[in-house]
Amino acid sequence: MSTAIPDLPILPLDDSMLSRKFGREVVNYFSGSPLNRVSFLRTDHAFLNAAFAHPSTSFLLLDNYSPLAKDNANLAYVGKEDIVSLTGPDPFKKTEEEQIKSFNSAVTQPIILFLGLDEKKTGFTYREYKGNPYFAIDVTPKGSIEETAKGVIEAVKAKQGVSFIPGGRLLTLNAPEAAIYAQARALLDWNARSPFCGGCGERTMSINAGMKRTCPPTDLAGVPEGGEPKKRPDCPTRHGISNLSFPRTDPTVIMAIVSADGTKLLLGRGKRYPPGWYSTLAGFLEPGESIEEAVRRETWEESGVHVGRVVIHSSQPWPYPANLMIGAIGQATPDGETINLGNDQELEDAKWYTLDEVREAMDGGAVAFGDPLPEGDKKLRIPPQTAIANRLMAAVLNGYIGASPKM
């Protein structure tokens, strides 16, 4: 049975000069979140405490990055009463300064992420800001909270009849909730990967409602109750602003390369792709490199094809673990279309496909990564519309490189 492919997010219509000139903004899967992140309020504990306690607040639980869901298309949310045994009733009651002073590296604290406000619902008000709050809670059983987290997981599943769906490559959620999940997963993954400080190697703690890791100057681990906390070595992250303290996003270029005469698309096949599957080429952006340069370099390194003009098309957050896919369309030079896989040998195969062949695959050959193919099927298969690769191919098929001006 094939996996249902969800619809893509759509932004409201606008009549700006940019939209009239370049068309509607392209919004890819995992973007288009319904939440206003109000990021400047993440350090305001009066706001966080009020939002956490409000009856309109929704909590998304993730167990080892697998979200609580009603089914493969719809997330499930819980109330404060369902998680208070894990988080405590007032996790933001203390100021950040007080939390840092009481840091104990021997005690596991659940990661609590503030995701944002749904301003279409106005049950909660804080100063001039209105909207129902959303949080994500990491309920993965680990450390000193292992048994409590297990209890929360089992109680929620029994109470609501819901389950945690595998989050390895989750591409089935409805578009708005896919964006919510992407934000939560990427931030929980970063917190989990950053338990130690990149500046001094000591344990860190989560602050800014999950958006920052700090290296406290003292530690209460092993200190008798009422005793003075142990001082830790000086750390460069405590002086000025350190990029080691904040979540990272890794930029990746992904490109639809068109032949010099505009009649073919270059597609490649990775060594771990399902049978018959081809996609656009992609690779990481390197330091000191522009997006356009990365497109040309990666295309040549992977396929041997030389690219001339490159145009940026759109982007897609990709929370596996924290990439930003920067989609581009490039055109091969007239004398640079020969395929040569001998450079970095990352691809198993690369081919030029006519636009008609890609169009046929788009009409009936787009499949989810794990879906089985009919036995003996030899047709070209491409990623579904939830992947930006599909949207780049569609843009070419719909005349993106035609005569009309594009950004």
Side-chain angles (χ1 to χ4, degrees):
M1 184 177 177
S2 62
T3 303
I5 306 299
D7 292 333
L8 296 178
I10 300 175
L11 291 180
L13 285 171
D14 74 87
D15 191 34
S16 66
M17 289 185 289
L18 284 173
S19 292
R20 290 197 296 272
K21 183 175 179 61
F22 300 113
R24 295 190 69 173
E25 182 176 331
V26 177
V27 190
N28 291 301
Y29 194 70
F30 288 131
S31 58
S33 175
L35 305 182
N36 181 348
R37 299 192 184 200
V38 286
S39 60
F40 49 87
L41 292 176
R42 292 176 185 140
T43 57
D44 185 338
H45 277 223
F47 163 76
L48 293 172
N49 206 41
F52 188 89
H54 200 268
S56 72
T57 299
S58 297
F59 295 90
L60 174 63
L61 309 187
L62 291 93
D63 176 12
N64 197 27
Y65 313 127
S66 297
L68 190 69
K70 302 172 186 176
D71 50 46
N72 286 338
N74 299 282
L75 296 174
Y77 302 93
V78 302
K80 177 185 174 182
E81 69 278 3
D82 297 304
I83 46 89
V84 70
S85 62
L86 182 67
T87 63
D90 304 299
F92 298 105
K93 185 176 183 179
K94 293 182 179 178
T95 66
E96 278 192 359
E97 183 180 2
E98 291 170 334
Q99 288 181 336
I100 293 170
K101 284 182 179 179
S102 62
F103 173 68
N104 186 331
S105 62
V107 177
T108 306
Q109 297 290 344
I111 302 299
I112 305 172
L113 304 176
F114 171 66
L115 301 177
L117 299 175
D118 184 351
E119 295 174 316
K120 292 180 180 178
K121 305 168 184 174
T122 55
F124 172 74
T125 299
Y126 181 80
R127 301 204 310 258
E128 66 267 38
Y129 310 108
K130 297 180 180 181
N132 288 9
Y134 279 69
F135 287 83
I137 313 289
D138 185 2
V139 296
T140 306
K142 56 187 173 184
S144 60
I145 60 171
E146 180 176 358
E147 293 306 316
T148 305
K150 286 180 180 178
V152 168
I153 289 171
E154 293 308 315
V156 166
K157 290 195 295 186
K159 176 182 176 181
Q160 296 198 13
V162 292
S163 61
F164 291 86
I165 57 176
R169 284 292 186 273
L170 185 54
L171 295 164
T172 57
L173 292 170
N174 68 76
E177 293 193 318
I180 292 173
Y181 168 68
Q183 180 188 359
R185 190 198 190 284
L187 287 172
L188 288 183
D189 182 276
W190 171 72
N191 273 278
R193 290 171 184 261
S194 308
F196 297 100
C197 178
C200 68
E202 295 282 354
R203 280 201 170 270
T204 58
M205 68 178 290
S206 176
I207 59 173
N208 283 196
M211 278 294 291
K212 183 179 179 180
R213 305 286 304 188
T214 191
C215 183
T218 59
D219 191 349
L220 285 169
V223 175
E225 187 173 352
E228 285 295 315
K230 295 180 292 186
K231 289 187 177 181
R232 304 207 296 180
D234 189 33
C235 178
T237 65
R238 298 186 204 125
H239 307 282
I241 298 174
S242 172
N243 64 351
L244 298 176
S245 302
F246 296 94
R248 61 178 292 160
T249 295
D250 298 317
T252 304
V253 291
I254 182 167
M255 45 276 184
I257 303 302
V258 187
S259 61
D261 64 3
T263 65
K264 297 183 289 291
L265 263 173
L266 177 66
L267 301 180
R269 175 172 169 73
K271 296 176 181 178
R272 294 183 295 173
Y273 285 4
W277 227 62
Y278 281 76
S279 185
T280 54
L281 276 54
F284 286 105
L285 189 74
E286 294 190 349
E289 184 176 49
S290 72
I291 294 168
E292 293 84 354
E293 288 171 323
V295 167
R296 296 185 186 101
R297 175 184 57 78
E298 283 287 346
T299 302
W300 177 77
E301 288 180 355
E302 293 187 2
S303 71
V305 171
H306 292 268
V307 174
R309 181 73 164 96
V310 174
V311 177
I312 299 170
H313 174 267
S314 63
S315 61
Q316 178 182 37
W318 190 254
Y320 304 112
N323 300 107
L324 178 65
M325 309 298 291
I326 304 170
I329 294 173
Q331 195 154 20
T333 60
D335 58 350
E337 294 182 352
T338 302
I339 292 174
N340 173 14
L341 302 181
N343 291 326
D344 74 358
Q345 301 180 1
E346 182 175 328
L347 296 179
E348 180 181 279
D349 190 24
K351 293 179 181 179
W352 288 104
Y353 284 93
T354 68
L355 297 191
D356 284 342
E357 288 175 313
V358 178
R359 188 174 287 106
E360 182 181 353
M362 189 75 68
D363 291 340
V367 292
F369 193 85
D371 280 357
L373 298 179
E375 189 172 346
D377 191 315
K378 300 296 184 183
K379 294 180 180 178
L380 170 64
R381 299 294 181 178
I382 60 174
Q385 67 175 6
T386 46
I388 190 174
N390 179 291
R391 298 295 80 205
L392 294 174
M393 294 183 217
V396 173
L397 295 178
N398 292 331
Y400 194 85
I401 61 168
S404 60
K406 300 290 179 184
M407 185 175 286

